[in-house]
C-alpha cells in the first residue's frame, strides 16, 4: 500500500483527544538543544502555532500536517552511527508516545528504533518504551484529564489578563480572548498550549510549577473539575516530583565488602528494594576512586536524561569527614555528595543519597542493669486562600527566576548516623540502618507514602533498637539517623511494583 495512504488511514483512526496528546508528547519542551543535525527551527512556531490554530479554528488540519511531517522525516531518516542527533531524540519520543497512547502506526520502522537505542548504549532493561516517556508531561496530561473544558477556559481567561506575560505573542492573538473548548480535543489543545507557552516563557518547568498552579487556583471548582476531582487535588498532583510509570529511576549501589561483615547482605537488600520500586540498578562492589570517576562519567551519557530520578547507596567504613574504600584510600564525603548532584542528566530531578558509614566513634550509651545483654547487633501558605495571600508580601513575577539552579537543589542526603557517631551493624546481616530502610520502603509501596515520611519512620524505628559494640567492653547504645533535604517537591514511592514489560520493547 502507498505510504501516503497508510499515513492518512493511520491519522483517521486516531481520536482528536489522542492527536492532541500525541502532539504534546512529541513536542517535548526539554528536548536537548543544540544537537547534531539541528537546523535551528523556531520551536515556538513549531510547538505552539498548530495548537493555536486548532483551538481557533476547531480544525486539526495543522496538527495532522505536523504528524505527517514527522512520519515522513522518520521514514527518510538514515541512522548515523555514533553521533546522536536531534532526530534520534524525536524518533524515540514519537515512538514512546505512540506506544503509550496505543496508536503506534503499523509502518513504524522498529529496526531504526533499535538502531537508535544502540547509539544511546541502552541495555535490554532500558529499551522499555516507558523509559522514553517524559514523566513531567505525563503528570500534566493527568492534570488536563482532571479538568473540564470550562476549567481550561477559565485558566485561559486568567492567563490573558496577565498583559506583561502575553504582550507581543502572536499565537495568543490567534486564539483570541473567548474560546469554546467543548468540541472533542479542543480542551486538550488549549491546555497543552498554555503549558508549552509557560515553559517557553521560562515560567514553569518540571520542578517549578507555581505559575501553572496559580492559574488552576483561579478556576471555579464547581464548573472546572471532572467528577471526583477538586482544585486542591489537581494542584497537589503538581507538588510531587514527576516519577510516573516505569522505571521509577536509576539506582547506583556502591558497597565496600572488604572488612565489613554482612556487606553482601546489604547489596542483596538494596538491590531487592530497588527492583520492588521499579528502578534500574547498577552495583559497584569495592569501589575505588577511579571506579567512582568512571561511574560519574557514565552518568553523563545522554541516555540518563530519560530517567526520572537518581538514588545512590554508599556503604563503607568512615569517620566524621571521610569514607574508606576497599584499597584503604579515603574520599571526602562532602566531595562525593557535591560532585554527583551536578551531573546535567539529572538536573531538576530528585537525587537521593543513602550514606551508610560511621561518622565518628562516639556512642549514645545506655547504662543500667536492664540494658545488659540486650542488643539487636547479635509555597508557605495555602494558594487557594485569597485572605491569607493578601496579607503576605507581594512577590511579583518580575523578581522570580527559574533558569538558574543551585546544583544541590532537588537533592536529599540520608545519613545512617549523626556526626561523630557510630553506625551499627550486625555480624551476618550488615548495616541495621540498611535493613530497616529496605523493610520500611517495601512495606510502604502502594500506600502513597513519601520518601521523607518513610525516613522519619525509619528514624523512630532505628532509635528504638538496642545495639552493642563488638569490642570487649560490649557497650549497649542507640543509633540516631537523619537526613538533609534540598527538595522542592515531594517524592512519593510508586503505588505499584513496576515490572519490566518485554512485550513493549523494540526488537533487538
Amino acid at each position: 500500500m502507498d505510504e501516503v495512504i497508510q499515513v492518512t488511514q493511520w491519522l483517521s483512526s486516531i481520536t482528536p483527544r489522542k492527536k492532541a496528546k500525541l502532539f504534546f508528547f512529541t513536542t517535548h519542551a526539554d528536548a536537548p538543544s543544540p544537537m547534531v543535525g539541528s537546523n535551528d527551527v523556531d520551536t515556538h512556531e513549531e510547538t505552539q502555532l498548530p495548537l493555536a490554530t486548532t483551538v481557533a479554528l476547531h480544525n486539526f488540519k495543522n496538527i495532522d500536517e505536523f504528524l505527517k511531517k514527522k512520519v515522513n522525516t522518520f521514514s527518510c531518516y538514515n541512522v548515523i552511527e555514533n553521533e546522536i542527533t536531534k532526530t534520534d531524540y524525536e524518533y524515540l519520543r514519537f515512538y514512546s508516545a505512540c506506544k503509550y497512547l496505543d496508536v503506534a502506526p503499523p509502518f513504524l520502522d522498529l529496526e531504526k528504533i533499535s538502531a537508535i537505542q544502540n547509539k544511546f548504549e541502552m541495555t535490554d532493561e532500558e529499551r522499555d518504551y516507558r523509559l522514553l516517556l517524559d514523566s513531567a508531561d505525563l503528570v500534566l496530561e493527568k492534570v488536563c484529564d482532571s479538568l473540564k473544558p470550562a476549567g481550561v477556559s477559565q485558566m485561559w481567561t486568567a492567563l490573558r489578563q496577565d498583559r506583561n506575560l502575553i504582550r507581543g505573542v502572536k499565537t495568543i492573538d490567534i486564539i483570541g480572548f473567548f474560546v469554546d473548548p467543548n468540541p472533542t480535543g479542543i480542551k486538550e489543545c488549549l491546555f497543552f498550549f498554555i503549558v508549552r507557552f509557560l515553559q517557553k516563557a521560562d515560567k514553569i518547568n518540571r520542578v517549578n510549577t507555581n505559575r501553572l498552579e496559580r492559574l488552576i487556583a483561579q478556576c471555579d471548582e464547581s464548573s472546572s473539575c471532572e467528577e471526583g476531582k477538586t482544585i486542591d487535588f489537581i494542584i497537589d498532583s503538581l507538588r510531587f516530583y514527576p516519577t510516573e510509570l516505569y522505571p521509577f529511576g536509576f539506582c547506583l549501589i556502591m558497597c565496600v565488602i572488604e572488612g565489613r561483615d554482612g556487606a553482601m547482605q546489604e547489596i542483596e537488600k538494596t538491590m531487592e528494594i530497588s527492583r520492588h520500586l521499579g528502578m534500574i540498578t547498577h552495583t559497584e562492589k569495592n569501589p575505588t576512586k577511579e571506579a567512582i570517576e568512571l561511574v560519574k562519567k557514565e552518568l553523563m551519557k545522554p541516555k540518563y536524561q530519560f530517567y526520572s530520578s537518581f538514588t545512590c547507596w554508599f556503604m563503607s567504613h568512615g569517620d566524621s569527614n571521610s569514607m574508606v574504600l576497599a584499597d584503604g584510600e579515603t574520599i571526602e564525603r562532602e566531595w562525593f555528595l557535591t560532585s554527583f548532584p551536578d551531573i546535567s542528566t539529572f538536573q531538576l530531578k530528585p537525587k537521593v543519597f543513602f550514606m551508610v558509614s560511621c561518622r565518628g566513634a562516639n556512642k549514645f550509651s545506655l547504662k543500667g542493669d536492664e540494658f545488659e545483654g540486650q542488643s539487636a547487633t547479635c509555597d508557605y501558605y495555602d494558594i487557594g486562600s485569597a485572605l491569607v495571600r493578601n496579607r503576605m508580601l507581594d512577590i511579583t513575577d518580575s523578581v522570580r527566576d527559574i533558569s538558574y539552579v543551585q546544583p544541590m537543589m532537588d537533592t536529599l542526603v540520608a545519613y545512617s548516623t549523626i556526626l561523630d557517631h557510630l553506625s551499627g551493624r550486625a555480624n551476618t546481616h550488615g548495616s541495621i540502618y540498611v535493613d530497616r530502610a529496605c523493610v520500611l520502603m517495601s512495606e510502604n509501596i502502594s500506600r502513597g507514602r513519601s520518601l521523607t515520611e518513610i525516613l522519619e519512620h525509619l528514624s523512630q524505628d532505628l532509635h528504638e533498637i538496642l545495639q552493642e559494640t563488638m569490642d570487649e567492653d560490649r557497650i549497649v547504645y542507640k543509633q540516631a539517623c537523619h537526613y538533609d533535604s534540598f527538595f522542592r517537591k515531594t517524592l512519593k514511592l510508586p503505588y505499584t511494583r513496576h515490572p519490566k514489560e518485554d512485550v513493549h520493547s523494540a526488537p533487538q
Side-chain angles (χ1 to χ4, degrees), residues 77-91:
Y77 179 58
N78 293 317
V79 180
I80 305 170
E81 291 186 6
N82 300 324
E83 291 184 332
I84 294 177
T85 69
K86 181 181 178 181
T87 304
D88 290 330
Y89 280 95
E90 292 177 344
Y91 208 149

Side-chain angles (χ1 to χ4, degrees), residues 145-253:
D145 290 344
S146 299
L147 291 166
K148 290 181 177 179
V152 179
S153 180
Q154 291 166 31
M155 289 176 61
W156 176 248
T157 300
L159 179 67
R160 286 295 305 252
Q161 291 171 348
D162 190 339
R163 302 304 302 172
N164 291 328
L165 182 60
I166 69 171
R167 185 179 290 115
V169 181
K170 294 180 181 178
T171 46
I172 295 283
D173 295 329
I174 288 174
I175 296 176
F177 199 93
F178 298 104
V179 177
D180 177 12
N182 288 294
T184 304
I186 300 303
K187 176 196 80 171
E188 286 75 16
C189 287
L190 181 59
F191 179 82
F192 295 145
F193 175 89
I194 293 171
V195 167
R196 290 291 185 245
F197 170 75
L198 291 174
Q199 288 170 334
K200 297 298 181 184
D202 271 339
K203 297 301 180 183
I204 65 171
N205 55 34
R206 64 185 300 118
V207 171
N208 302 90
T209 54
N210 286 338
R211 193 65 184 85
L212 182 62
E213 292 172 27
R214 282 151 53 194
L215 289 179
I216 296 171
Q218 295 181 61
C219 295
D220 172 58
E221 186 163 279
S222 62
S223 61
S224 61
C225 300
E226 292 288 353
E227 185 177 353
K229 309 296 182 184
T230 64
I231 294 295
D232 286 343
F233 172 86
I234 296 170
I235 291 175
D236 282 346
S237 69
L238 290 167
R239 293 181 176 171
F240 300 106
Y241 281 107
T243 52
E244 302 292 304
L245 292 184
Y246 171 92
F248 182 65
F250 182 80
C251 182
L252 171 65
I253 299 171

Side-chain angles (χ1 to χ4, degrees), residues 228-334:
K229 309 296 182 184
T230 64
I231 294 295
D232 286 343
F233 172 86
I234 296 170
I235 291 175
D236 282 346
S237 69
L238 290 167
R239 293 181 176 171
F240 300 106
Y241 281 107
T243 52
E244 302 292 304
L245 292 184
Y246 171 92
F248 182 65
F250 182 80
C251 182
L252 171 65
I253 299 171
M254 290 186 166
C255 184
V256 175
I257 299 172
E258 300 297 330
R260 297 182 66 250
D261 294 336
M264 291 305 298
Q265 286 282 331
E266 295 170 355
I267 293 175
E268 291 177 13
K269 292 171 186 176
T270 50
M271 286 186 66
E272 182 179 8
I273 191 61
S274 297
R275 287 194 294 267
H276 283 334
L277 291 172
M279 291 183 172
I280 293 177
T281 304
H282 173 75
T283 301
E284 284 284 334
K285 298 177 182 177
N286 289 326
T288 61
K289 286 184 178 179
E290 182 181 5
I292 292 172
E293 290 293 344
L294 289 174
V295 168
K296 286 169 57 181
K297 185 177 180 180
E298 166 70 20
L299 293 175
M300 294 178 186
K301 291 181 178 179
K303 70 175 182 178
Y304 291 98
Q305 75 156 13
F306 293 113
Y307 284 91
S308 299
S309 69
F310 173 76
T311 298
C312 175
W313 293 84
F314 197 102
M315 296 166 283
S316 70
H317 290 306
D319 57 29
S320 58
N321 298 313
S322 307
M323 300 178 295
V324 183
L325 304 179
D327 57 7
E329 293 288 319
T330 62
I331 57 170
E332 295 295 312
R333 190 178 285 105
E334 189 67 21

